[in-house]
Amino acid sequence: MTLLSVSHLSAALGGRPVLHDISFDVGPGELVGLIGPNGAGKSTLLRALMGLTPASGAIVLDGEDGGDLTATRRALKVAYMAQSRDVAWAMPVEALVALGRLPHLPRLSPMRAADRAAVDAAMRLMDVEAHRDRQATALSGGELARVLAARALAQETPLLLADEPAAGLDPSHQIGLMQVFHSLAQEGRSVVVSTHDLGLAARSCTRLILLDRGRVVADGTPEAVVTANNLKSVYGVEAYFGEVEGRMVVLPLGLSTPSSKEHRA
Amino acid sequence: MNDARRYQMALAALTLATLILFCLSLLVGPAGIGFIDSVSALFSERRDAIALIMQEIRLPRALLGLMVGATLGLSGAVLQGYLRNPLAEPALIGVSASASLGAVLAIYTGLSAVFPPALPLAALAASVVAVLIVQAMAGRRGSVLTLILAGVAVSSFAGAMTSLALNLSSNPFAALEIMFWMLGSLTDRSMTHVWLALPFMLAGWAALLTLGRALDALTLGGDTAASLGVDMRRVQFLAVFGTAASVGAATAVTGAIGFVGLVVPHLLRPLTGGQPSRLLPTSALGGASVVLAADILVRIVAPERDLKLGVLTAIVGAPFFLWLVWRERRKVA
Amino acid sequence: MPETRKGRALFAPLAAVLALAYPAAAAPAPQRVVSMNLCTDEMAMLIAAPGQLHSVSFLAADPISSVLAPEASRYKANHGQAEEIFLMQPDLVLAGTYTTGATVDLLRRLGIRVEQFAPENSFDDIRAGLRRMGEVLGQRQRAEDLVADLDRRLAAVKAGDHDGMTAAIYYANSYTSGSGTLIDDVMAKAGLTNIATKFGYAGMERLPLELLVLSDPDLLVTADRGYSAPALAQQGFDHPAFRAQAALSGAVDLASRYTICGAPFTAEAVRLLSQGADARKAAPK
């Protein structure tokens, strides 16, 4: 059983091909890290999965063809955290998190008890309850990132796609965020997270997909994907590899020599 | 729940203000008719002078003030929410300028002199044409930027054509009439105008009022809104056509009344906790209050000079807006 | 105003339908007439029987625009607003064809008879306007007397000896009047050729200062140079080129109250122009 199935997905932006023939499946319980250098196509892939960027190929979301889903049905299956954290109006945090309940509300219906409970639970998980009445535009970058994550959690979907949700968070909230995602996965949902933090991805994800110039170059456990070779050929960096309490530790150290970078082509 | 409470208070206060101003608007005029006489005349079956004044002169004026103000406030709130920009206003998508052009052409060709309803009808027709062009340009993908650019282009073109009509008009009387009409006024409008504008405004309001939740979601940007189940193409269609129908009808019967659609939503936003869905009814009531108040002022300040409503809203609105900008600036600093 | 005339012709059938909707009901003479337009004010003041005219517009008392300003004080002033006029309970309202469309419309809805008069663009228009006003007010004889007075005053102007003399009118904002305007006919009746009409201008148009100097009119006519409210529009009168041309040509400043509206007093404008032309002839360049 899979919650997300992608086959032969290709997409172009402004006539330039960005994604080439991408296929993978994500099942319940998986926390997938999407990694790759700038311009590899991580954001475009997530946007294509949401139907925000036109793409060819097939996307199946929780058993239904992505192309056939109405906007509301899609919103009940997938939640999406955009990379942009722009909030247009000075809205209180609680109201902002409550936006996650929109797909669940019948027309003209106010929030019901279950909706309020979901909003409270999401705020508690993301540690933003204290900011409940503050205006979202007055929060710090990290606080806002957590509020936006709570908004996505309040949507209570089986599948969550998050575009660099951990960027700008302090270490404790980075770890906290990944722990929340991890527990969502353990409840039987799927989470796909794009990130540039290789160490964080390797430590917390159950699986990594490495993109380079629009293609999947590696897909598997963190140990299988984050290898010295892959880092050298895709990112052009040398890294320190270690292990702490049975979990992988990776720390990029410096640029690899130009000759080794030639390997990429 | 402090926030919701403040919103309810604001809504109640604005409803009350609108009601009071509506009644005041019915009571102000050269004929010093007492309050009781006015009210009884309003519902009187007899067609005596006071009843005619109340029913045929003051009632349509007050009703149009209410309708036009609500239209401007509501469409301003929707466009600011849809474009995620506090500087958006109904004129942005080219409706006001095109409606003005239609009206000017009706005056210029002499059509309106022969057949009075031709003026609002031509204005409405022109705004429909404009919005079709804007919508076609913005396209199926519903890009906000193309929408604004198309609106600016259509506005500039309509404005230039209006100036051309003024330039080419070798008749100073017609030119003067065009100038006066463009300044916006509610003076001596009749129930014909009300019935002409009402269906378009109701249709426009219905379209705009369904957008509350979609606009809330848009606070987080178009992508997030789409991920929350908002059909962005539908939102654009409803926002553009709702504005066109209601503002087109408003401009058609009263001329262009500026600043209400820009300032009112901006002013009331803090009372709604920044939630666009709450801003819609609030801003509609606020717009109605402002236009009614301005129309009362026009009659009190210079009863004999037929001061134009659009001039007054701009005179009061522009400095007020400067003050708002100044306050924002201080907050940022 | 050629456009408007064209418009009229186009919509003549419509006009006919509307005329049916608002019958002229000529039977008894109206007893309580309210005029809300400067030109109908002046014509009505000249033609109406004592007590027949109740109110005129506030502009009628403005000495700059109105020839009959002193007379206007005998009537109530109105400001052209429906409620105010309705309260006067008139049995006839006189209005112009421009700028008061909504008010006229509303008054008609209220069952008040409104007669609209288009601005006069020639002495023929003036005669027709006076006769129509006479008909509407039930004072045909009075109107005929005024037409005769107008013709007498026009005939008294010796225009014959201005052959080949040209004139240009120059308003604020560099506007001039070409063919189809009252001032053009005034010039013609004074025996002068309007250079704007020679240039092919119709109606009110902008006359570039260069063209004015190039055409070197024998008589340079200005309108209301001494208007009390200052306006940027008047700066054309202070341009050195204009002042030089004014020194070369004969100059006449014509009070616009004689030509804003057409009436027998418009003959006074013809007389003033003719007088200016005579003076110019007596003192050549």
Side-chain angles (χ1 to χ4, degrees), chain C residues 121-123 126 154 157 159 181-192 254 258-259 266-274:
Chain C
N121 293 321
S122 67
F123 282 97
I126 296 178
L154 283 178
V157 178
T181 59
L182 186 55
I183 193 80
D184 184 61
D185 205 18
V186 166
M187 286 187 192
K189 292 288 184 293
L192 299 164
L254 195 60
Y258 292 117
T259 54
T266 308
E268 178 64 10
V270 180
R271 198 187 64 77
L272 287 169
L273 287 195
S274 175

Side-chain angles (χ1 to χ4, degrees), chain C residues 24-33 43-44 46-50 52-53 91-92 94 113 115 117 129-144:
Chain C
Q31 293 309 309
R32 198 174 168 85
V33 179
M43 260 202 282
L46 289 169
I47 292 178
Q52 195 179 14
L53 182 62
D91 50 3
L92 173 66
L94 303 170
R113 178 179 163 212
E115 289 291 337
F117 286 75
L130 287 170
R131 289 196 171 108
R132 182 163 159 237
M133 185 62 84
E135 194 135 326
V136 164
L137 296 179
Q139 308 290 341
R140 281 187 207 175
Q141 192 47 51
R142 183 89 187 100
E144 287 305 329

Side-chain angles (χ1 to χ4, degrees), chain C residues 52-102:
Chain C
Q52 195 179 14
L53 182 62
H54 176 69
S55 166
V56 293
S57 81
F58 71 102
L59 282 173
D62 171 14
I64 291 174
S65 336
S66 168
V67 178
L68 304 174
E71 283 87 337
S73 58
R74 286 195 263 133
Y75 305 95
K76 262 187 95 163
N78 71 68
H79 307 90
Q81 304 209 20
E83 183 170 331
E84 169 190 41
I85 287 172
F86 179 76
L87 281 171
M88 294 174 176
Q89 299 190 303
D91 50 3
L92 173 66
V93 170
L94 303 170
T97 43
Y98 289 99
T99 66
T100 48

Side-chain angles (χ1 to χ4, degrees), chain A residues 36-98:
Chain A
N38 291 325
K42 301 184 298 293
S43 290
T44 308
L45 175 56
L46 292 177
R47 288 173 50 80
L49 296 179
M50 291 304 300
L52 297 169
T53 291
S56 64
I59 301 164
V60 178
L61 294 168
D62 195 15
E64 287 188 54
D65 189 320
D68 297 341
L69 283 173
T70 64
T72 316
R73 275 206 56 74
R74 181 199 301 272
L76 291 171
K77 291 181 181 299
V78 204
Y80 170 67
M81 289 176 65
Q83 196 171 359
S84 154
R85 292 173 188 164
D86 181 28
V87 178
W89 313 115
M91 193 184 273
V93 164
E94 186 179 10
L96 200 154
V97 174

Side-chain angles (χ1 to χ4, degrees), chain B residues 206-218:
Chain B
L208 295 176
L209 284 170
T210 58
L211 290 175
R213 278 188 180 157
L215 296 179
D216 280 348
L218 261 166

Side-chain angles (χ1 to χ4, degrees), chain B residues 133-146:
Chain B
I133 294 173
V134 169
Q135 181 71 30
M137 292 282 296
R140 295 182 302 114
R141 298 292 310 282
S143 150
V144 166
L145 188 64
T146 17

Side-chain angles (χ1 to χ4, degrees), chain A residues 19 74 84 111 137 143 150 183 209 217 245 263:
Chain A
L19 298 176
R74 181 199 301 272
S84 154
M111 297 259 286
T137 44
E143 287 164 346
S183 60
I209 296 178
V217 293
E245 293 172 1
H263 278 283

